[in-house]
Amino acid sequence: MSDTRDDTPQQTADAPPVRVTVVLPCYNEEDHVVDEVKRICAAMDGSGYGYELLAVDDASTDDTLERLRDVQTLYPHMRVIAFGHNGGSGTVRRIGSQRARGEFVVWTDADMSYPNERIPELVAMLDADPELDQVVGARTQEMGSHKALRVPAKWMIRKIAERLTNTRIPDLNSGLRVFRRDVARPYLRLLPPGFSCVTTITLAFLSNQHPVRYVPIEYAKRAGRSKFHFVSDAYRYILQVLRMVMYFNPLKVLMPPALVLLGLGTAKFVFDQVRNPLYIPNNTVMILMTGLIIAAIALLADLIVRSRENP
């Protein structure tokens, strides 16, 4: 995104090297963004890790950007980045991750809902285990709006993702996570602009056999107004799950319905021959041909995936 402004503070000569980059999307968070910055910086200052906090204002319509700039001198590790127009949390996280200098990248939110004081703990888990590529804070309860609708919808989407990836996923779209920058870099271009970016990075890692650990965390009621829109965002979540699995393993999506249609078509063909030998109804032919076409597409898509370079 070309219309960004990066207010980079001067770093002291004796500052430790940056190992952790915290990407903090900020959109209309004027009442609590400073409290969130204070909490994150206090936790990281006491962790012993060299870090940077990328506070990205996503073209807020309130005074979020002004509040960030007012306190920038108090937090020398914070860099304020201002977008010229709203790009969405996925765009913020993608650009922030691409600009990250640390080997570990942390994603979180500025709405006081995640226990950001635990960020050093999650980073330490990743740092201590070279075989691990991502640590996700798995929420133990749902505190968002439209709870009666969100809980069953998110459960269904999560079960679809678990089925397609053959992996247990305690929390598919948690906004608090830390991952290795170099491992994630090839997948950043796949991130959508909206909330489903967190689902995307989870599925990208799982689909490519990158180890992911889930750590239970408490989840508080968010401060301010939610930007989540149930119908549109839930629809995008489902599409993104299917899109990501199609991107990495299309057989998982396409082959099951193809085999079901071929099985039904074969059973109907046998039934038709018993009932009326040498006669094949048009609907039987259509079922069999549809199954064959989907199976052929699945095999062709799988061939394309296996023949291309990694993303």
Side-chain angles (χ1 to χ4, degrees):
M1 184 174 292
S2 59
D3 52 350
T4 63
R5 176 180 171 184
D6 187 347
D7 300 330
T8 305
Q10 295 295 323
Q11 300 293 323
T12 59
D14 58 349
V18 173
R19 296 194 64 202
V20 180
T21 297
V22 181
V23 180
L24 185 68
C26 305
Y27 179 66
N28 291 348
E29 314 281 3
E30 62 177 358
D31 293 332
H32 47 268
V33 68
V34 174
D35 292 334
E36 194 69 273
V37 168
K38 179 180 179 180
R39 181 165 62 144
I40 293 172
C41 290
M44 293 305 302
D45 287 340
S47 69
Y49 285 103
Y51 75 97
E52 61 178 350
L53 170 61
L54 304 186
V56 185
D57 179 71
D58 195 17
S60 296
T61 57
D62 62 4
D63 292 331
T64 297
L65 180 58
E66 288 71 19
R67 300 288 172 84
L68 289 171
R69 286 177 172 163
D70 286 344
V71 300
Q72 186 171 2
T73 56
L74 301 177
Y75 303 101
H77 296 284
M78 180 174 69
R79 294 165 54 192
V80 178
I81 302 174
F83 282 3
H85 64 271
N86 184 265
S89 61
T91 302
V92 170
R93 290 185 169 102
R94 174 177 59 81
I95 292 178
S97 301
Q98 290 170 337
R99 295 188 181 186
R101 292 184 293 157
E103 60 182 291
F104 305 120
V105 177
V106 177
W107 285 1
T108 189
D109 289 338
D111 57 14
M112 306 299 290
S113 59
Y114 288 100
N116 287 331
E117 65 276 0
R118 295 186 62 183
I119 288 176
E121 175 189 344
L122 303 184
V123 173
M125 290 181 185
L126 195 60
D127 192 18
D129 188 352
E131 300 299 320
L132 193 61
D133 290 327
Q134 184 171 185
V135 177
V136 178
R139 294 165 293 182
T140 57
Q141 73 272 13
E142 175 63 58
M143 296 296 295
S145 58
H146 309 290
K147 188 174 180 179
L149 297 175
R150 285 167 63 114
V151 171
K154 291 172 69 174
W155 180 87
M156 180 189 69
I157 296 171
R158 180 165 55 86
K159 288 303 179 182
I160 293 174
E162 288 180 340
R163 176 69 176 175
L164 294 176
T165 60
N166 290 328
T167 307
R168 182 177 177 272
I169 307 174
D171 193 342
L172 180 61
N173 59 332
S174 170
L176 177 59
R177 62 190 61 226
V178 53
F179 50 81
R180 300 185 189 276
R181 179 195 61 191
D182 291 341
V183 174
R185 182 166 289 167
Y187 311 121
L188 295 178
R189 64 181 179 84
L190 303 177
L191 297 181
F195 290 103
S196 53
C197 62
V198 292
T199 302
T200 301
I201 202 71
T202 301
L203 293 176
F205 272 57
L206 293 176
S207 297
N208 285 276
Q209 308 305 312
H210 297 297
V212 177
R213 179 182 298 173
Y214 298 92
V215 178
I217 61 170
E218 297 297 320
Y219 185 63
K221 185 177 180 180
R222 66 152 290 138
R225 183 178 179 182
S226 175
K227 289 88 176 177
F228 183 87
H229 301 285
F230 175 77
V231 175
S232 59
D233 286 323
Y235 175 71
R236 280 192 286 266
Y237 274 132
I238 295 174
L239 285 185
Q240 193 62 17
V241 168
L242 296 176
R243 182 183 295 121
M244 290 305 298
V245 178
M246 277 288 293
Y247 189 88
F248 293 112
N249 192 352
L251 290 181
K252 283 278 187 180
V253 177
L254 295 177
M255 194 55 73
L259 294 178
V260 168
L261 288 173
L262 288 173
L264 288 175
T266 301
K268 191 172 186 306
F269 173 79
V270 172
F271 174 80
D272 292 336
Q273 294 308 300
V274 171
R275 184 178 181 182
N276 192 356
L278 302 180
Y279 173 71
I280 305 177
N282 290 336
N283 53 10
T284 302
V285 175
M286 291 181 63
I287 294 173
L288 288 170
M289 291 303 298
T290 301
L292 287 173
I293 291 172
I294 295 177
I297 293 174
L299 293 173
L300 179 60
D302 185 67
L303 179 63
I304 294 173
V305 167
R306 294 178 182 277
S307 63
R308 74 173 182 228
E309 296 181 356
N310 289 331

